[in-house]
Amino acid sequence: MVYKIRVILDTKEDIFRDVEIKGKQTLWNLHLGIKSAFNLSGDELSTFNLLEEDGTVVKSVPLEDMSDDGDGEIMSDVYIDEAFESIGDKAQFQYGLLDLWEFFCELIEINDETKGVNYPITTYRFGNAPLKAPVKSGSASGSKNKKSAMPLLDDDFNFEDDFSGSANFIDEDDDFNDDEDDFDDDVFDDEDDDDNER
């Protein structure tokens, strides 16, 4: 059987792809299908978080084993028909570390396999995928009340007031003498002494 999974990019705009994959392929194959569908470059680490109906994570399945004992479950261990048992089952897909792409995956159809098709395959595209990982919709840079940081500094902190009385400012380094050689922690002094004795 072939599983049609809708993969929705977590961004303000509606951007999604429908990916068809065989039930006996693995999450690793779906990972490759999502990368291809959204033109994700590189070989970044990724994780599938299998979700309950209310969105709580049932289990996380990474691309590579990160467990201490080395016997953790990875993407190539989990078949699609295990991860998505019935229509409506959901998962979250995270790709990348510094630039984190997040997707929501939902099984929308189960159909018969078409002979001669090399699965996984992208069957439908909606919206243009950005070139960089989108900024989260709840973050400060995406909020409607975004303000410049500069007026905040000028208005609230009055740096000029703090430094306007510079006549009373005492530079503690005025008495510092660069020529003093009283440093006991200088390793090279000991070596110089040894050289002179030879």
Side-chain angles (χ1 to χ4, degrees):
M1 301 301 287
V2 170
Y3 288 58
K4 182 183 283 190
I5 297 171
R6 178 153 292 170
V7 184
I8 304 167
L9 179 61
D10 185 14
T11 184
K12 286 186 277 186
E13 298 82 21
D14 290 332
I15 302 171
F16 64 88
R17 307 285 185 261
D18 288 348
V19 176
E20 289 189 357
I21 187 167
K22 291 190 282 190
K24 290 304 175 188
Q25 289 182 295
T26 64
L27 289 176
W28 180 77
N29 299 111
L30 181 57
H31 148 89
L32 295 178
I34 294 172
K35 279 184 64 177
S36 174
F38 286 90
N39 297 318
L40 299 177
S41 59
D43 291 315
E44 300 286 339
L45 290 177
S46 58
T47 303
F48 278 101
N49 295 312
L50 306 183
L51 306 175
E52 292 276 10
E53 285 184 21
D54 61 357
T56 57
V57 176
V58 177
K59 69 176 174 179
S60 293
V61 185
L63 178 64
E64 296 177 10
D65 188 6
M66 300 293 183
S67 64
D68 293 335
D69 49 11
D71 62 353
E73 195 172 44
I74 59 174
M75 289 182 195
S76 56
D77 297 330
V78 181
Y79 291 107
I80 296 299
D81 59 8
E82 296 172 342
F84 298 92
E85 293 178 3
S86 56
I87 291 174
D89 283 357
K90 297 176 177 64
Q92 179 192 41
F93 177 67
Q94 297 177 316
Y95 181 79
L97 195 62
L98 296 176
D99 293 325
L100 181 63
W101 295 78
E102 289 191 284
F103 303 87
F104 295 100
C105 309
E106 181 177 357
L107 178 61
I108 58 173
E109 283 180 26
I110 301 176
N111 300 311
D112 292 327
E113 183 179 340
T114 304
K115 288 184 179 180
V117 174
N118 189 17
Y119 295 99
I121 184 172
T122 305
T123 58
Y124 185 74
R125 298 173 186 268
F126 185 90
N128 294 321
L131 297 175
K132 288 185 172 183
V135 178
K136 303 303 285 173
S137 54
S139 66
S141 58
S143 67
K144 294 177 182 176
N145 299 324
K146 182 170 68 172
K147 292 183 179 179
S148 167
M150 293 314 292
L152 178 69
L153 291 175
D154 294 341
D155 295 343
D156 294 349
F157 292 105
N158 295 324
F159 288 119
E160 292 178 3
D161 293 346
D162 292 341
F163 295 107
S164 60
S166 58
N168 298 329
F169 180 73
I170 299 171
D171 188 356
E172 295 176 358
D173 288 340
D174 284 346
D175 297 331
F176 182 74
N177 185 354
D178 288 338
D179 297 330
E180 291 179 7
D181 247 332
D182 296 340
F183 301 113
D184 294 333
D185 59 346
D186 194 346
V187 179
F188 297 108
D189 287 348
D190 296 338
E191 291 176 3
D192 292 343
D193 291 342
D194 292 343
D195 290 341
N196 292 337
E197 289 173 3
R198 289 182 191 157

